[in-house]
Amino acid sequence: NAGVTQTPKFRILKIGQSMTLQCTQDMNHNYMYWYRQDPGMGLKLIYYSVGAGITDKGEVPNGYNVSRSTTEDFPLRLELAAPSQTSVYFCASSKMTGTGNFQPQHFGDGTRLSIL
Amino acid sequence: AQSVTQLGSHVSVSEGALVLLRCNYSSSVPPYLFWYVQYPNQGLQLLLKYTTGATLVKGINGFEAEFKKSETSFHLTKPSAHMSDAAEYFCAVGHMTTDSWGKLQFGAGTQVVVTP
């Protein structure tokens, strides 16, 4: 199992450019998440998805968009990149059911994005 | 609203000494609690989790944590630090409520340095 795979690992963008951060998981998890990590701030939830075709905003969604056309893939789109979006982005997934235990999230290795 | 507070952004411990990382949460409903570890340039890895049942939870790499409802705490400990424990540690809380199901709130993280 590869788990959660994120590409690219590093990227430098110019202000105003756009890009898509890719995330795929091979664990048949229904829930997927995008976080950003800034020094001393922990992880902040950008968007999440409870299944194919269903997405919702997290704590810091402005400037980002997502889609979920398949169970495996959950790309994050940055439109009109701004310096404030310089961060490390993590994708995660989990297998959640309607009842029972709250399952842990599995994380990818992150994408380090700089916007200059 | 739920929140997570990790006391101490940086902790320095001597090799062989006790590791104690503090985590307090606020919650109006029973929480699900997690500790994750992040090594440099990697994603988060699950150390341990508390869902229901026994309040003393054992995890990987010799770590354990105790859920204390009366103190709203979930402190992480390891009896004897090893050089390989140098990393950043995150406490996270989740809830089985309609608007929070599947989502985690993360603390700001504690960076652990181990000195010889």
Side-chain angles (χ1 to χ4, degrees):
Chain A
N1 270 352
V4 178
T5 302
Q6 293 183 239
T7 57
K9 294 188 182 304
F10 305 94
R11 185 73 184 268
I12 298 174
L13 281 182
K14 294 182 178 179
I15 295 171
Q17 287 185 321
S18 61
M19 78 164 291
T20 299
L21 282 66
Q22 302 291 345
C23 175
T24 187
Q25 52 94 7
D26 63 359
M27 297 173 283
N28 198 32
H29 286 172
N30 51 345
Y31 278 55
M32 295 187 74
Y33 314 82
W34 274 106
Y35 294 92
R36 60 177 288 169
Q37 182 182 29
D38 300 298
M41 302 295 289
L43 277 74
K44 302 295 184 185
L45 183 65
I46 304 171
Y47 271 95
Y48 69 103
S49 169
V50 303
I54 307 171
T55 63
D56 205 352
K57 296 178 180 179
E59 189 178 357
V60 290
N62 292 343
Y64 308 94
N65 280 298
V66 294
S67 60
R68 183 104 179 264
S69 58
T70 67
T71 299
E72 296 78 17
D73 300 307
F74 190 41
L76 177 71
R77 178 82 176 166
L78 278 72
E79 304 283 1
L80 297 175
S84 61
Q85 294 177 305
T86 293
S87 188
V88 182
Y89 292 85
F90 287 99
C91 180
S93 70
S94 66
K95 185 71 170 178
M96 298 295 293
T97 58
T99 59
N101 284 330
F102 195 117
Q103 295 300 318
Q105 295 177 14
H106 300 255
F107 286 80
D109 284 339
T111 294
R112 285 150 187 82
L113 181 62
S114 293
I115 298 166
L116 306 175
Chain B
Q2 62 198 44
S3 67
V4 183
T5 302
Q6 291 184 238
L7 294 177
S9 59
H10 288 81
V11 169
S12 182
V13 297
S14 299
E15 191 175 17
L18 171 72
V19 179
L20 170 60
L21 305 182
R22 299 178 188 274
C23 174
N24 288 87
Y25 66 91
S26 66
S27 174
S28 57
V29 297
Y32 292 81
L33 297 160
F34 304 83
W35 275 101
Y36 284 86
V37 60
Q38 184 182 31
Y39 299 104
N41 299 315
Q42 294 186 25
L44 279 68
Q45 301 174 29
L46 181 69
L47 270 180
L48 49 79
K49 64 178 182 178
Y50 169 79
T51 53
T52 58
T55 57
L56 182 62
V57 180
K58 295 186 183 299
I60 62 171
N61 302 338
F63 284 93
E64 63 182 36
E66 186 171 12
F67 170 55
K68 292 187 176 181
K69 183 179 178 180
S70 61
E71 299 178 6
T72 60
S73 69
F74 191 55
H75 301 331
L76 181 71
T77 60
K78 181 174 180 177
S80 177
H82 191 273
M83 297 299 290
S84 60
D85 294 326
E88 189 157 22
Y89 293 79
F90 292 93
C91 181
V93 62
H95 296 94
M96 285 183 66
T97 58
T98 302
D99 62 340
S100 298
W101 183 239
K103 294 189 284 186
L104 290 177
Q105 185 78 30
F106 284 87
T110 299
Q111 184 71 48
V112 172
V113 174
V114 182
T115 57

